[in-house]
Amino acid sequence: MCGIVLSLGPEADPAIFRRMLTQLVPRGEVTETRYETGLLAGVRRLRVVDRNRAVQPWLSADERWLLCYNGEVFNHHELRAELTDLGHRFHTTSDTEVVLAAFERWGERMVTRLRGEYAFAIVERATGRAYLVRDPLGVKPLYWSRPPGCLHVASEVKALVRAGAPVVEVPPGHHGWVDADRQVHLRPYVDLLSLGADLPVVVDPDEAALLVRTALTDSFRVRLDTDLTVGVVLSGGLDSSLALLHAAQLHPDCVAVTVGVPESPDVAYARRLAKELGVPHEVVELRPRDIRLADIREAIRISELTEYGDIINAVVSVPIFRRLRELGVKVVLTGDGSDELFGGYPMYHEVGPAASRRLFLHKIRNLCRTELQRVDRTSMGFGVEARVPFLDLALVELAMRLPIELKMRDGQEKWIVRRAFADLLPDYIRRRPKNPMSYSSGLHERARLYKPLFARLHRSFGYQLLEPVRRDFDSVLMRCGNDLDAAIAAGLARPDYTVLEHARDLVGAARWNAAPMVRRLVSPRRHRGDEAPLPG
């Protein structure tokens, strides 16, 4: 994975370009650039696949095309074999070379053949035209801005704010061309809202469980195809535990990392599972008092997020990826996306099937600017490539075909996932209810103390050039009785929290943060050697 920057047009300024690329230094290990008249291209490359030869920007053999590429294409072995049979000669084993070869062979149709998490730009050097692509779910980011006489393209907003022009996101599953006048023309190549619509609904639990197991196991398999140590972000919940179980089975060179207060449920469950599997386990122990304003500011700077709850989750995520970098781990698996796909949120079960599907589609379509943005920024902010097995497109399509009754049953969310892996999951994990990461880690309420400052901090980095911080959509949705249309309208009518709402939130957070101090004053002192029991 990488950070990419391009400046196209007669006003492309090498000094501005270098400053933009400097903003993306944390995303990789080496800086690779190419300077031409009207075309400045650069990559901050994290060396993962064919580390010595996949040098970017990558040129086609005839030097007509230039590629700046961020991400991983997990089926590059299969594509390489097919292209070789068609006569293409490869000089590396990198997926970077495969991507450009696929474009040369199939043109824009190549996007339908890629399986992975990616965002890239291909430039025709003679004309300055550029072809932009982003993966179907938006796991990897891509943005552009257009000041006079130039078009900038970059992996993060922070690289573009210095240009001072409005920043525009390339939507997930979109591709298209930047013409000679630097006008951007994008269109979808995957329609998430209709994914799986032409396939039958899977209603039989046995069939559904088999399909889920097959699809998810294969998704883990391709994302574990690396000769590097693989990290797993382990919360001790269902999804991250499945990631660790597969990593331990398919790629024994792995390590688990957990964040939380020492006595939190997350830490206890995670310690138990890692010990039983014999997997090295790093616990980043944080207490609420350890989170300070500087940590909030840094999380906002790194994450560029626009909803309060996502920023709080970023505060908790940053220490995980900082520790992974210290360990020298460059590839990591996360469990993100499972809740959205398999009914991990109460709102799915509080409305009828039709409304539930609309909520489901809304969540999936917006993952790119919430959970996935948090994962990308907080991981790549420390040079760690995060892979999200639950968001493989084949698995997403399958989830579209499963009725809500298979996702929530007997009062248990993600029921079909638990059933699919019942023989693999320890009973204490399989039966554990969902706990949001930042809540069960014991750190969420501490971060809430600083919520009134989020918007100002966000503006201080210039991120309003994309969009401002706004109310958490989930909280708006809850107040609207899970009515999606009403929630969207309410969000547009009043984007941010009022001063009174911030005051109430601050009082609640202050009360929660004061409670541990009161308990320490009135509770008997724990004797040395006393330990909290493990769960289960």
Side-chain angles (χ1 to χ4, degrees):
M1 301 249 178
C2 309
I4 66 176
V5 173
L6 294 101
S7 293
L8 305 170
E11 299 300 319
D13 185 330
I16 294 175
F17 168 79
R18 284 191 291 269
R19 287 198 295 268
M20 293 166 61
L21 191 54
T22 298
Q23 291 294 314
L24 302 184
V25 162
R27 292 185 73 94
E29 301 161 285
V30 293
T31 298
E32 298 163 344
T33 58
R34 189 175 184 92
Y35 292 81
E36 301 178 5
T37 302
L39 168 59
L40 310 176
V43 175
R44 181 66 178 176
R45 183 164 64 94
L46 184 65
R47 295 179 290 191
V48 174
V49 181
D50 200 345
R51 294 182 280 279
N52 294 324
R53 295 185 296 173
V55 177
Q56 296 193 52
W58 185 267
L59 290 181
S60 59
D62 61 5
E63 299 191 349
R64 176 184 177 184
W65 303 102
L66 174 149
L67 168 67
C68 287
Y69 167 59
N70 170 33
E72 301 288 347
V73 169
F74 300 121
N75 63 334
H76 68 96
H77 300 298
E78 295 87 343
L79 292 173
R80 178 189 308 276
E82 184 176 356
L83 288 162
T84 299
D85 288 343
L86 292 170
H88 191 91
R89 293 183 61 190
F90 287 94
H91 304 283
T92 74
T93 57
S94 72
D95 56 331
T96 302
E97 186 178 10
V98 170
V99 167
L100 191 51
F103 174 77
E104 289 184 279
R105 181 71 191 190
W106 297 305
E108 296 178 30
R109 290 178 294 123
M110 57 90 77
V111 294
T112 63
R113 293 172 171 263
L114 303 181
R115 179 187 185 184
E117 304 162 358
Y118 50 81
F120 57 85
I122 299 174
V123 182
E124 188 175 42
R125 294 170 62 223
T127 65
R129 292 193 312 143
Y131 176 58
L132 307 182
V133 180
R134 191 176 181 193
D135 68 66
L137 275 295
V139 179
K140 293 288 102 184
L142 197 61
Y143 303 89
W144 58 270
S145 69
R146 194 171 58 212
C150 186
L151 179 88
H152 299 306
V153 179
S155 293
E156 297 188 16
V157 178
K158 58 178 64 68
L160 298 172
V161 295
R162 290 181 178 273
V167 177
V168 183
E169 180 183 26
V170 174
H174 279 62
H175 68 152
W177 290 89
V178 178
D179 63 27
D181 295 323
R182 289 165 295 286
Q183 299 293 318
V184 181
H185 308 279
L186 301 175
R187 63 189 187 283
Y189 64 91
V190 170
D191 182 6
L192 288 179
L193 300 187
S194 63
L195 200 63
D198 57 342
L199 297 171
V201 175
V202 182
V203 296
D204 179 74
D206 292 332
E207 180 187 6
L210 178 60
L211 290 171
V212 168
R213 181 161 182 148
T214 300
L216 186 52
T217 299
D218 189 60
S219 182
F220 281 120
R221 178 188 63 80
V222 299
R223 285 164 176 79
L224 289 165
D225 180 19
T226 177
D227 61 344
L228 297 171
T229 300
V230 173
V232 176
V233 177
L234 179 65
S235 71
L238 174 67
D239 312 317
S240 63
S241 295
L242 278 173
L244 184 63
L245 285 160
H246 282 86
Q249 184 180 77
L250 301 174
H251 192 88
D253 182 13
C254 62
V255 60
V257 177
T258 303
V259 65
V261 297
E263 64 272 15
S264 72
D266 276 6
V267 172
Y269 277 92
R271 284 189 193 278
R272 180 173 178 178
L273 181 64
K275 183 178 180 181
E276 290 177 0
L277 293 175
V279 173
H281 186 209
E282 293 280 330
V283 177
V284 182
E285 292 189 349
L286 288 180
R287 296 186 181 276
R289 63 176 178 268
D290 296 328
I291 296 178
R292 303 181 183 277
L293 180 59
D295 302 298
I296 303 294
R297 187 180 190 277
E298 181 65 357
I300 292 174
R301 185 196 67 80
I302 291 173
S303 70
E304 307 174 346
L305 288 159
T306 57
E307 292 190 19
Y308 290 84
D310 294 319
I311 291 170
I312 290 173
N313 286 337
V315 173
V316 180
S317 298
V318 164
I320 295 175
F321 294 108
R322 181 185 291 122
R323 183 58 182 146
L324 283 162
R325 181 185 65 181
E326 292 168 354
L327 294 170
V329 175
K330 292 197 288 186
V331 175
V332 66
L333 300 184
T334 82
D336 293 277
S338 177
D339 290 325
E340 287 76 13
L341 292 184
F342 295 108
Y345 296 112
M347 65 179 183
Y348 289 152
H349 319 295
E350 295 170 356
V351 296
S356 175
R357 180 171 176 79
R358 288 193 68 210
L359 290 173
F360 168 66
L361 294 173
H362 181 86
K363 283 291 264 187
I364 294 298
R365 187 168 53 183
N366 284 275
L367 274 176
C368 63
R369 62 171 190 79
T370 54
E371 289 296 299
L372 291 178
Q373 182 168 322
R374 172 185 60 80
V375 171
D376 173 79
R377 299 302 195 282
T378 56
S379 63
M380 293 301 289
F382 295 96
V384 177
E385 174 186 308
R387 300 177 177 181
V388 283
F390 282 94
L391 291 177
D392 192 271
L393 193 61
L395 189 62
V396 175
E397 182 179 71
L398 174 59
M400 298 284 196
R401 299 168 56 202
L402 301 180
I404 192 66
E405 293 79 13
L406 291 183
K407 299 177 180 181
M408 179 74 175
R409 181 174 286 195
D410 302 327
Q412 196 168 54
E413 86 288 344
K414 294 182 282 193
W415 179 85
I416 193 62
V417 179
R418 298 173 196 271
R419 172 154 180 176
F421 293 96
D423 62 320
L424 185 63
L425 287 163
D427 201 52
Y428 61 91
I429 295 293
R430 187 170 62 86
R431 297 182 181 276
R432 187 188 180 193
K434 171 182 167 53
N435 278 306
M437 174 186 65
S438 53
Y439 284 92
S440 55
S441 66
L443 302 170
H444 185 278
E445 291 294 335
R446 176 68 176 189
R448 273 182 65 202
L449 281 172
Y450 301 99
K451 276 180 70 175
L453 304 176
F454 285 7
R456 187 174 71 190
L457 291 170
H458 190 270
R459 288 193 300 272
S460 74
F461 298 113
Y463 297 156
Q464 75 281 359
L465 287 171
L466 177 67
E467 55 183 339
V469 166
R470 56 179 178 272
R471 286 187 293 170
D472 299 310
F473 186 78
D474 286 349
S475 65
V476 177
L477 186 64
M478 185 182 302
R479 292 181 182 180
C480 293
N482 294 319
D483 183 323
L484 183 59
D485 293 325
I488 291 173
L492 293 173
R494 183 161 59 82
D496 203 353
Y497 292 104
T498 65
V499 173
L500 180 59
E501 285 173 321
H502 272 310
R504 289 173 178 170
D505 197 57
L506 183 61
V507 169
R511 185 182 297 118
W512 187 92
N513 278 274
M517 184 180 300
V518 174
R519 284 196 297 270
R520 286 196 296 271
L521 291 173
V522 301
S523 299
R525 189 183 302 272
R526 176 177 286 181
H527 297 292
R528 185 187 300 270
D530 289 350
E531 294 182 357
L534 286 173

